[in-house]
Amino acid sequence: MFTAYLKTAFFALILTAFATAQAQDNHGDVDHHEQVVTDGGKVNTKEEIKSYIEHHLQDSHDFHLFSYTNDANERKHIGFPLPVMVWSSAGPKFFLSSKFHHDDNAQVLVKEGDATFFKLHSKIYELESGAAAVSYDGDHHPSNAHKVFDFSITKSVFGLLAVGLIIFLLFRSLARQYKIRSIPTGVGRVLEPLVLYVRDEIARPNIGENKYRKFMPYLLTVFFLIWISNLLGLTPFGFNITGQIAITSCLALFTFFIVQFSANKDYWKHIFWMPDVPVLMKIVLIPIELLGIFTKPFSLLIRLFANITAGHFVVMSLIALMITLKAQFGAVVSTGLSVVLTLFISVIEVLVAFLQAFIFTMLSSLFIGMAVAEHDHHEHAGTEEDDVDEVRERFI
Amino acid sequence: MNLLEDFSPGLFFMQAIILIILIVLLGKFAWKPILSALSEREEGIESALKAAENAKLEMARLEASNEAAAQDARAQRDEMLKDAREIKEQMIADAAGQAQEKADNIIASAQEAIESEKKAALADIKSQVADLSLDIAEKVTRKELSEKDAQLALIDKMLAEANI
Amino acid sequence: MEGTLNLIGAGLIVIGGGLGLGQIGGKAMEAIARQPEAAGKIQTAMIIIGALLEGLAFGALILGS
């Protein structure tokens, strides 16, 4: 990916090695950097940058690092295709995304058996039978095609699998170490405090000493999945895993179901018949409390999605400064400004990556803790604690 | 940016599957052994600390009893020393008394002996004096009858003889 | 026109969020200054409330855009 490629010269080196090894189309030893910058007319105007960033923020069906135009004026793409798996009107279809030839504007039609597919803005559509070309309605939506259930190994799914594999290998090795010695060495020495942190700072105080054990696998998995995904999103590979609303929705939905299924009698009582409150108030409170059940996970999914999306957007916009400010300040100043600002924001993003994982896990355990807590509210009705709980619930 | 349009059901589905698999796999192969090892270790540390605390208490207790025993022994020793000193003094005093008595006895008997010797000597002297006096008186009486000068000479002579 | 209104709305959201975050941060600083030994707990609570506020603001931003 071009903007990510520009991020640092260091990463570019590693990337080039990686990309050339995986390149679809063979090409000679070309100075990619030179090519991309002088490659005029590609991503130079504000609108192009904006659409480029939006394209990055969306999921994609191939692993695409960057593109360039060679001397013969051919567009070259560095990356590798990923398998497309869709459920069309003609049943499940499997093919490689290279069949779309990097097209994202419904130009290339792929025929698979009885079904014809095309890709528009990172979404795969199936053409209605009988139609030969895509036609659009007034809102630039295809009128003679419909979306298919697309469970492809997209870039995000690929990233998720990679993150899952990384987590599994890391913690499996840590778990193995405990069989030999009680204090781990090497990487385990870094991982163990993280596990302890999740257990002692997040789960224990929020869920309670007696009940936290049951939820540890979920909390630990989610914490590390979000954290590593966030960090992977900061690398020039251009993943945007936790910036996909489907993924954050899924995570929030898991928390939602875990909260509802582990909730005890007190929790439901607090929702449907709040104790120590006048009857009229109870009736007013029911819809508010019911709404609260859904707003809590909703705020979880929006927060993670928005933070990561905003982070990627800001980083990419700052990288684009070197192009947008070039006319005003010249190449050196605009590039320097861009590098300094991007570095600054990237450091903050590293912090945000951790913070969002922490907050997601923290709030999940807080909600679980609320659901499994045993209240003894009858003795001290309307005390400070209850007020805090209520305010917190409304706030969320 | 339209969120609903952006939402991909397929991605959601894949994520759900991956997440479930991850939770199960990690729970079984990673989190469970890690957490149990951690809590085991913590329990081990806790019990070790408790054992150390107990050992410390035991040590303190032992030390205290040792101290008491030492105190006892010291007191006993002092007592014994005191006794011994008393006995010694007693013995010295006794011996001194006995010696004194014996000496006194010896002195007394010596004095008695001297006294009796003296008495005997005096008695002896007395009897001799008496004899001498008798002798002198006899001689004097005899000479007086003969001559006056001769008497006087005799007395002188006898006195010279009787020079004690 | 709609784009301008969106921008104004975003600005309002940012102002509101900024005020809220400022309040949280300032009060947390005061609290830490008053009780430095409770700094850890205060920071955690501060981050949680900050996150809740941020979720609210981001929610508004995204629904508005």
Side-chain angles (χ1 to χ4, degrees), chain A residues 66-132:
Chain A
F66 59 92
S67 308
Y68 65 95
T69 308
N70 66 7
D71 294 336
N73 221 21
E74 287 171 320
R75 195 80 179 133
K76 293 279 182 190
H77 302 282
I78 306 298
F80 53 88
L82 292 165
V84 173
M85 302 190 272
V86 291
W87 195 282
S88 69
S89 55
K93 295 285 175 201
F94 307 95
F95 54 93
L96 272 184
S97 69
S98 51
K99 287 204 174 176
F100 286 118
H101 297 291
H102 302 282
D103 164 59
D104 202 28
N105 279 316
Q107 298 301 311
V108 178
L109 298 177
V110 177
K111 264 192 101 60
E112 280 290 322
D114 298 333
T116 311
F117 303 99
F118 64 90
K119 198 150 70 87
L120 179 65
H121 301 308
S122 302
K123 295 269 180 280
I124 293 179
Y125 293 80
E126 186 190 353
L127 207 60
E128 309 273 331
S129 52

Coordinates of all heavy atoms in Angstrom, one line a residue, chain A residues 66-132:
Chain A
F66 N 1.2 -2.3 -2.4 CA 1.2 -1.1 -3.1 C 1.3 -1.3 -4.6 O 1.5 -2.4 -5.1 CB 2.4 -0.2 -2.7 CG 3.8 -0.9 -3.0 CD1 4.5 -0.6 -4.2 CD2 4.4 -1.7 -2.0 CE1 5.7 -1.2 -4.4 CE2 5.6 -2.3 -2.2 CZ 6.2 -2.0 -3.4
S67 N 1.0 -0.3 -5.4 CA 1.0 -0.4 -6.8 C 1.9 0.7 -7.4 O 2.2 1.7 -6.8 CB -0.4 -0.1 -7.4 OG -1.3 -0.9 -6.7
Y68 N 2.4 0.4 -8.6 CA 3.2 1.4 -9.3 C 3.0 1.2 -10.8 O 2.5 0.2 -11.3 CB 4.7 1.3 -8.9 CG 5.3 0.0 -9.4 CD1 6.0 0.0 -10.6 CD2 5.2 -1.1 -8.6 CE1 6.6 -1.2 -11.0 CE2 5.8 -2.3 -9.0 CZ 6.5 -2.3 -10.2 OH 7.0 -3.5 -10.6
T69 N 3.4 2.2 -11.6 CA 3.3 2.1 -13.0 C 4.8 2.0 -13.5 O 5.6 2.9 -13.2 CB 2.6 3.4 -13.6 OG1 1.4 3.5 -12.9 CG2 2.4 3.2 -15.1
N70 N 5.0 1.0 -14.3 CA 6.4 0.9 -14.8 C 6.7 1.7 -16.0 O 5.8 2.4 -16.5 CB 6.8 -0.6 -15.0 CG 6.0 -1.2 -16.1 OD1 5.3 -0.5 -16.8 ND2 6.0 -2.5 -16.3
D71 N 7.9 1.6 -16.5 CA 8.3 2.4 -17.6 C 7.5 2.2 -18.9 O 7.2 3.2 -19.7 CB 9.8 2.1 -18.0 CG 10.7 2.6 -16.9 OD1 10.3 3.4 -16.1 OD2 11.8 2.0 -16.7
A72 N 6.9 1.0 -19.0 CA 6.1 0.7 -20.2 C 4.7 1.2 -19.9 O 3.7 0.8 -20.6 CB 6.1 -0.8 -20.5
N73 N 4.5 2.0 -18.9 CA 3.2 2.5 -18.5 C 2.2 1.4 -18.2 O 1.0 1.5 -18.5 CB 2.7 3.4 -19.7 CG 2.0 4.6 -19.1 OD1 2.2 5.0 -18.0 ND2 1.1 5.2 -19.9
E74 N 2.7 0.3 -17.6 CA 1.8 -0.7 -17.2 C 1.6 -0.6 -15.7 O 2.6 -0.3 -14.9 CB 2.3 -2.1 -17.5 CG 2.3 -2.5 -18.9 CD 3.1 -3.7 -19.2 OE1 4.2 -3.9 -18.5 OE2 2.6 -4.6 -19.9
R75 N 0.4 -0.8 -15.2 CA 0.1 -0.7 -13.7 C 0.5 -2.0 -13.1 O 0.0 -3.1 -13.5 CB -1.4 -0.4 -13.5 CG -1.8 0.0 -12.2 CD -1.5 1.5 -12.0 NE -1.9 1.9 -10.6 CZ -1.1 2.6 -9.8 NH1 0.1 3.0 -10.1 NH2 -1.5 2.9 -8.6
K76 N 1.4 -1.9 -12.1 CA 1.8 -3.2 -11.4 C 1.3 -3.2 -10.0 O 1.4 -2.1 -9.3 CB 3.3 -3.3 -11.4 CG 3.9 -3.5 -12.8 CD 3.8 -4.9 -13.2 CE 4.4 -5.1 -14.6 NZ 4.1 -6.5 -15.1
H77 N 0.8 -4.3 -9.5 CA 0.3 -4.4 -8.1 C 1.2 -5.4 -7.4 O 1.4 -6.5 -7.9 CB -1.1 -4.8 -8.1 CG -2.0 -3.9 -8.8 ND1 -2.5 -2.7 -8.4 CD2 -2.6 -4.1 -10.1 CE1 -3.2 -2.2 -9.2 NE2 -3.3 -2.9 -10.3
I78 N 1.6 -5.0 -6.2 CA 2.4 -5.9 -5.4 C 1.5 -6.4 -4.3 O 0.9 -5.7 -3.5 CB 3.6 -5.2 -4.8 CG1 4.5 -4.5 -5.9 CG2 4.5 -6.1 -4.0 CD1 5.0 -5.4 -6.9
G79 N 1.5 -7.7 -4.2 CA 0.6 -8.4 -3.2 C 0.3 -9.7 -3.6 O 0.9 -10.3 -4.6
F80 N -0.7 -10.4 -3.0 CA -1.1 -11.7 -3.4 C -2.7 -11.8 -3.3 O -3.2 -11.1 -2.4 CB -0.4 -12.8 -2.7 CG -0.5 -12.7 -1.2 CD1 -1.5 -13.3 -0.5 CD2 0.5 -12.1 -0.5 CE1 -1.6 -13.2 0.9 CE2 0.5 -12.0 0.9 CZ -0.6 -12.6 1.6
P81 N -3.3 -12.6 -4.1 CA -4.7 -12.7 -4.0 C -5.2 -13.6 -2.9 O -4.4 -14.4 -2.4 CB -5.1 -13.4 -5.3 CG -3.9 -14.2 -5.7 CD -2.7 -13.4 -5.2
L82 N -6.4 -13.4 -2.4 CA -7.0 -14.2 -1.3 C -8.2 -14.9 -1.8 O -8.8 -14.5 -2.8 CB -7.3 -13.3 -0.2 CG -6.2 -12.6 0.6 CD1 -6.6 -11.5 1.4 CD2 -5.4 -13.6 1.4
P83 N -8.5 -16.0 -1.3 CA -9.7 -16.8 -1.8 C -11.0 -16.1 -1.5 O -11.2 -15.5 -0.5 CB -9.6 -18.1 -1.0 CG -8.8 -17.8 0.2 CD -7.8 -16.8 -0.2
V84 N -11.8 -16.1 -2.5 CA -13.2 -15.5 -2.4 C -14.2 -16.7 -2.2 O -14.1 -17.7 -2.9 CB -13.6 -14.7 -3.7 CG1 -15.0 -14.3 -3.6 CG2 -12.7 -13.5 -3.8
M85 N -15.0 -16.5 -1.2 CA -16.0 -17.6 -0.9 C -17.3 -16.8 -0.8 O -17.5 -16.0 0.1 CB -15.7 -18.3 0.3 CG -14.3 -19.0 0.3 SD -14.1 -20.1 1.7 CE -13.4 -19.1 2.9
V86 N -18.2 -17.1 -1.7 CA -19.5 -16.4 -1.6 C -20.7 -17.4 -1.7 O -20.5 -18.5 -2.2 CB -19.7 -15.4 -2.8 CG1 -18.7 -14.2 -2.6 CG2 -19.5 -16.0 -4.1
W87 N -21.8 -17.0 -1.2 CA -23.0 -17.8 -1.3 C -23.9 -17.1 -2.2 O -24.6 -16.1 -1.9 CB -23.7 -18.0 0.1 CG -24.6 -19.1 0.1 CD1 -25.9 -19.1 -0.4 CD2 -24.5 -20.5 0.5 NE1 -26.5 -20.3 -0.3 CE2 -25.7 -21.2 0.3 CE3 -23.4 -21.2 1.1 CZ2 -25.8 -22.5 0.6 CZ3 -23.6 -22.5 1.5 CH2 -24.8 -23.2 1.2
S88 N -24.0 -17.6 -3.5 CA -24.8 -16.9 -4.5 C -26.1 -17.7 -4.7 O -26.4 -18.6 -4.0 CB -24.0 -16.9 -5.8 OG -23.9 -18.2 -6.3
S89 N -26.9 -17.2 -5.6 CA -28.1 -17.8 -5.9 C -27.9 -19.3 -6.5 O -28.8 -20.1 -6.4 CB -28.9 -17.0 -6.9 OG -28.1 -16.8 -8.1
A90 N -26.7 -19.5 -7.0 CA -26.4 -20.8 -7.5 C -25.5 -21.6 -6.5 O -24.8 -22.5 -6.9 CB -25.6 -20.7 -8.8
G91 N -25.7 -21.3 -5.2 CA -24.9 -22.1 -4.2 C -23.6 -21.5 -3.9 O -23.3 -20.4 -4.4
P92 N -22.8 -22.2 -3.1 CA -21.5 -21.6 -2.7 C -20.5 -21.6 -3.9 O -20.5 -22.5 -4.7 CB -21.0 -22.6 -1.6 CG -21.7 -23.8 -1.9 CD -23.1 -23.4 -2.5
K93 N -19.8 -20.5 -4.0 CA -18.8 -20.4 -5.1 C -17.4 -20.1 -4.5 O -17.3 -19.2 -3.6 CB -19.2 -19.3 -6.1 CG -20.5 -19.6 -6.8 CD -20.2 -20.6 -7.9 CE -21.6 -21.0 -8.6 NZ -21.5 -22.2 -9.3
F94 N -16.4 -20.7 -5.0 CA -15.0 -20.4 -4.5 C -14.1 -20.1 -5.7 O -14.1 -20.8 -6.7 CB -14.4 -21.6 -3.8 CG -15.3 -22.2 -2.7 CD1 -16.2 -23.2 -3.0 CD2 -15.3 -21.6 -1.5 CE1 -17.0 -23.7 -2.0 CE2 -16.1 -22.1 -0.5 CZ -17.0 -23.1 -0.7
F95 N -13.4 -19.0 -5.6 CA -12.4 -18.6 -6.6 C -11.4 -17.6 -6.0 O -11.6 -17.1 -4.9 CB -13.1 -18.1 -7.9 CG -14.0 -16.9 -7.7 CD1 -13.5 -15.6 -7.8 CD2 -15.3 -17.1 -7.4 CE1 -14.3 -14.5 -7.6 CE2 -16.2 -16.0 -7.2 CZ -15.7 -14.7 -7.3
L96 N -10.3 -17.4 -6.7 CA -9.3 -16.5 -6.2 C -9.7 -15.0 -6.6 O -10.2 -14.8 -7.7 CB -7.9 -16.8 -6.7 CG -7.1 -17.9 -5.9 CD1 -5.8 -18.1 -6.5 CD2 -7.0 -17.5 -4.5
S97 N -9.3 -14.1 -5.7 CA -9.7 -12.7 -6.0 C -8.9 -12.2 -7.2 O -9.2 -11.1 -7.7 CB -9.4 -11.9 -4.7 OG -8.0 -11.8 -4.5
S98 N -7.8 -12.9 -7.6 CA -7.1 -12.4 -8.8 C -8.0 -12.3 -10.0 O -7.6 -11.6 -11.0 CB -5.9 -13.2 -9.0 OG -6.2 -14.6 -9.1
K99 N -9.1 -13.0 -10.0 CA -10.0 -13.0 -11.2 C -10.6 -11.6 -11.4 O -11.0 -11.3 -12.5 CB -11.1 -14.0 -11.0 CG -10.6 -15.5 -11.1 CD -11.8 -16.4 -11.5 CE -11.2 -17.7 -11.8 NZ -12.3 -18.7 -12.1
F100 N -10.6 -10.8 -10.3 CA -11.2 -9.5 -10.5 C -10.1 -8.5 -11.1 O -10.4 -7.4 -11.4 CB -11.6 -8.9 -9.1 CG -12.9 -9.5 -8.7 CD1 -12.9 -10.3 -7.5 CD2 -14.1 -9.4 -9.4 CE1 -14.1 -10.8 -7.0 CE2 -15.3 -9.9 -8.9 CZ -15.3 -10.7 -7.8
H101 N -8.9 -9.0 -11.2 CA -7.8 -8.1 -11.7 C -7.7 -6.8 -11.1 O -7.6 -5.8 -11.7 CB -7.9 -8.0 -13.2 CG -7.8 -9.3 -13.9 ND1 -6.6 -10.0 -14.0 CD2 -8.7 -10.1 -14.5 CE1 -6.8 -11.2 -14.6 NE2 -8.1 -11.2 -14.9
H102 N -7.8 -6.7 -9.7 CA -7.7 -5.5 -8.9 C -8.8 -4.5 -9.3 O -8.6 -3.3 -9.0 CB -6.3 -4.9 -9.1 CG -5.2 -5.8 -8.6 ND1 -4.9 -6.0 -7.3 CD2 -4.4 -6.6 -9.4 CE1 -4.0 -6.9 -7.2 NE2 -3.6 -7.3 -8.5
D103 N -9.8 -4.9 -9.9 CA -10.9 -4.0 -10.3 C -11.8 -3.8 -9.1 O -12.1 -4.7 -8.3 CB -11.7 -4.6 -11.5 CG -13.0 -3.9 -11.6 OD1 -13.0 -2.6 -11.8 OD2 -14.0 -4.5 -11.5
D104 N -12.2 -2.6 -8.8 CA -13.1 -2.3 -7.7 C -14.3 -1.4 -8.2 O -15.0 -0.8 -7.4 CB -12.3 -1.6 -6.6 CG -13.0 -1.7 -5.3 OD1 -13.7 -2.8 -5.1 OD2 -12.8 -0.9 -4.4
N105 N -14.5 -1.3 -9.5 CA -15.5 -0.4 -10.0 C -16.5 -1.2 -11.0 O -17.0 -0.5 -11.9 CB -14.8 0.7 -10.8 CG -14.4 1.8 -9.8 OD1 -15.1 2.1 -8.9 ND2 -13.1 2.2 -10.0
A106 N -16.7 -2.4 -10.7 CA -17.7 -3.2 -11.5 C -17.3 -3.3 -12.9 O -18.2 -3.4 -13.8 CB -19.1 -2.6 -11.3
Q107 N -16.1 -3.2 -13.3 CA -15.6 -3.3 -14.7 C -15.4 -4.7 -15.1 O -15.7 -5.1 -16.3 CB -14.3 -2.5 -14.9 CG -14.4 -1.0 -14.6 CD -15.5 -0.3 -15.5 OE1 -15.5 -0.5 -16.7 NE2 -16.4 0.4 -14.9
V108 N -14.9 -5.6 -14.2 CA -14.6 -6.9 -14.6 C -15.7 -7.8 -14.1 O -16.1 -7.8 -12.9 CB -13.3 -7.3 -13.9 CG1 -12.9 -8.8 -14.3 CG2 -12.1 -6.4 -14.4
L109 N -16.3 -8.6 -15.0 CA -17.3 -9.6 -14.6 C -16.7 -11.0 -14.5 O -16.0 -11.4 -15.4 CB -18.5 -9.5 -15.6 CG -19.2 -8.2 -15.7 CD1 -20.3 -8.3 -16.8 CD2 -19.8 -7.8 -14.4
V110 N -16.9 -11.6 -13.4 CA -16.4 -13.0 -13.3 C -17.5 -14.0 -13.3 O -18.5 -13.9 -12.6 CB -15.7 -13.1 -11.9 CG1 -15.2 -14.5 -11.7 CG2 -14.5 -12.1 -11.8
K111 N -17.4 -14.9 -14.3 CA -18.4 -15.9 -14.5 C -18.0 -17.2 -13.8 O -16.9 -17.7 -14.0 CB -18.6 -16.2 -16.0 CG -19.8 -15.4 -16.5 CD -20.2 -15.9 -17.9 CE -21.4 -16.8 -17.9 NZ -22.6 -16.1 -17.4
E112 N -18.8 -17.6 -12.8 CA -18.5 -18.9 -12.1 C -19.8 -19.7 -12.2 O -20.8 -19.5 -11.5 CB -18.2 -18.6 -10.6 CG -16.8 -18.1 -10.3 CD -15.8 -19.2 -10.5 OE1 -16.1 -20.4 -10.2 OE2 -14.7 -18.9 -11.1
G113 N -19.8 -20.6 -13.1 CA -20.9 -21.5 -13.4 C -22.1 -20.6 -13.9 O -21.9 -19.9 -14.9
D114 N -23.2 -20.7 -13.1 CA -24.4 -19.9 -13.6 C -24.4 -18.5 -13.1 O -25.2 -17.7 -13.5 CB -25.7 -20.6 -13.1 CG -25.8 -22.0 -13.6 OD1 -25.2 -22.2 -14.7 OD2 -26.4 -22.8 -12.9
A115 N -23.5 -18.2 -12.2 CA -23.5 -16.9 -11.5 C -22.4 -16.0 -12.1 O -21.3 -16.4 -12.4 CB -23.4 -17.0 -10.0
T116 N -22.7 -14.7 -12.2 CA -21.7 -13.7 -12.6 C -21.5 -12.7 -11.4 O -22.5 -12.2 -10.9 CB -22.2 -13.0 -13.8 OG1 -22.7 -13.9 -14.8 CG2 -21.1 -12.1 -14.4
F117 N -20.3 -12.5 -11.1 CA -20.0 -11.6 -10.0 C -19.2 -10.4 -10.5 O -18.4 -10.5 -11.4 CB -19.1 -12.3 -8.9 CG -19.8 -13.6 -8.4 CD1 -19.5 -14.8 -8.9 CD2 -20.8 -13.5 -7.4 CE1 -20.1 -16.0 -8.4 CE2 -21.4 -14.6 -7.0 CZ -21.1 -15.9 -7.5
F118 N -19.3 -9.3 -9.7 CA -18.4 -8.2 -9.9 C -18.2 -7.5 -8.6 O -18.9 -7.8 -7.6 CB -19.0 -7.2 -10.9 CG -20.2 -6.5 -10.5 CD1 -20.2 -5.3 -9.8 CD2 -21.5 -7.1 -10.8 CE1 -21.4 -4.7 -9.4 CE2 -22.7 -6.5 -10.4 CZ -22.6 -5.3 -9.7
K119 N -17.1 -6.7 -8.5 CA -16.8 -6.1 -7.2 C -16.9 -4.6 -7.4 O -16.5 -3.9 -8.3 CB -15.3 -6.4 -6.9 CG -15.0 -6.2 -5.4 CD -13.9 -7.2 -5.0 CE -12.5 -6.8 -5.6 NZ -11.8 -5.8 -4.9
L120 N -17.6 -4.0 -6.4 CA -17.8 -2.5 -6.4 C -17.6 -2.0 -5.0 O -18.3 -2.4 -4.0 CB -19.3 -2.2 -6.9 CG -19.6 -0.7 -6.9 CD1 -18.8 0.0 -7.9 CD2 -21.1 -0.6 -7.2
H121 N -16.6 -1.1 -4.8 CA -16.3 -0.6 -3.5 C -16.1 -1.7 -2.5 O -16.7 -1.6 -1.4 CB -17.3 0.4 -3.1 CG -17.5 1.6 -4.0 ND1 -16.4 2.3 -4.5 CD2 -18.6 2.1 -4.7 CE1 -16.8 3.3 -5.3 NE2 -18.1 3.1 -5.4
S122 N -15.3 -2.6 -2.8 CA -14.9 -3.7 -1.9 C -16.0 -4.6 -1.5 O -15.9 -5.4 -0.6 CB -14.3 -3.1 -0.6 OG -13.2 -2.4 -0.9
K123 N -17.1 -4.5 -2.2 CA -18.2 -5.5 -2.0 C -18.5 -6.3 -3.2 O -18.4 -5.8 -4.4 CB -19.5 -4.7 -1.7 CG -19.4 -3.9 -0.4 CD -19.9 -4.8 0.8 CE -19.8 -4.0 2.1 NZ -18.4 -4.0 2.7
I124 N -18.8 -7.6 -3.0 CA -19.0 -8.4 -4.2 C -20.5 -8.5 -4.4 O -21.3 -8.7 -3.5 CB -18.4 -9.8 -3.9 CG1 -16.9 -9.7 -3.9 CG2 -18.8 -10.8 -5.1 CD1 -16.2 -11.0 -3.6
Y125 N -20.9 -8.3 -5.7 CA -22.3 -8.3 -6.1 C -22.5 -9.5 -7.1 O -21.5 -9.9 -7.8 CB -22.7 -7.0 -6.8 CG -22.7 -5.8 -5.9 CD1 -21.6 -5.1 -5.6 CD2 -23.9 -5.3 -5.4 CE1 -21.6 -4.0 -4.8 CE2 -24.0 -4.2 -4.5 CZ -22.8 -3.6 -4.3 OH -22.8 -2.5 -3.5
E126 N -23.7 -10.0 -7.1 CA -24.0 -11.0 -8.1 C -25.0 -10.3 -9.1 O -26.0 -9.7 -8.7 CB -24.7 -12.2 -7.5 CG -24.9 -13.3 -8.5 CD -25.8 -14.4 -8.0 OE1 -26.1 -14.4 -6.8 OE2 -26.1 -15.3 -8.7
L127 N -24.6 -10.4 -10.4 CA -25.4 -9.8 -11.4 C -26.7 -10.7 -11.6 O -26.7 -11.9 -11.6 CB -24.6 -9.8 -12.7 CG -25.0 -8.7 -13.8 CD1 -24.8 -7.3 -13.2 CD2 -24.1 -8.9 -15.0
E128 N -27.8 -10.0 -11.8 CA -29.1 -10.7 -12.0 C -29.0 -11.5 -13.3 O -28.3 -11.1 -14.2 CB -30.3 -9.7 -12.2 CG -30.4 -8.7 -11.1 CD -31.2 -9.2 -9.9 OE1 -32.1 -10.0 -10.2 OE2 -31.0 -8.7 -8.8
S129 N -29.6 -12.6 -13.3 CA -29.5 -13.5 -14.5 C -30.1 -12.8 -15.7 O -31.1 -12.1 -15.7 CB -30.2 -14.8 -14.3 OG -31.5 -14.6 -13.9
G130 N -29.4 -12.8 -16.8 CA -29.9 -12.2 -18.1 C -29.2 -10.8 -18.3 O -29.1 -10.4 -19.5
A131 N -28.7 -10.2 -17.3 CA -28.1 -8.9 -17.5 C -26.7 -9.1 -18.0 O -25.9 -10.0 -17.6 CB -28.0 -8.1 -16.2
A132 N -26.3 -8.2 -18.9 CA -24.9 -8.4 -19.5 C -23.9 -7.4 -18.9 O -22.7 -7.6 -18.9 CB -25.0 -8.1 -21.0

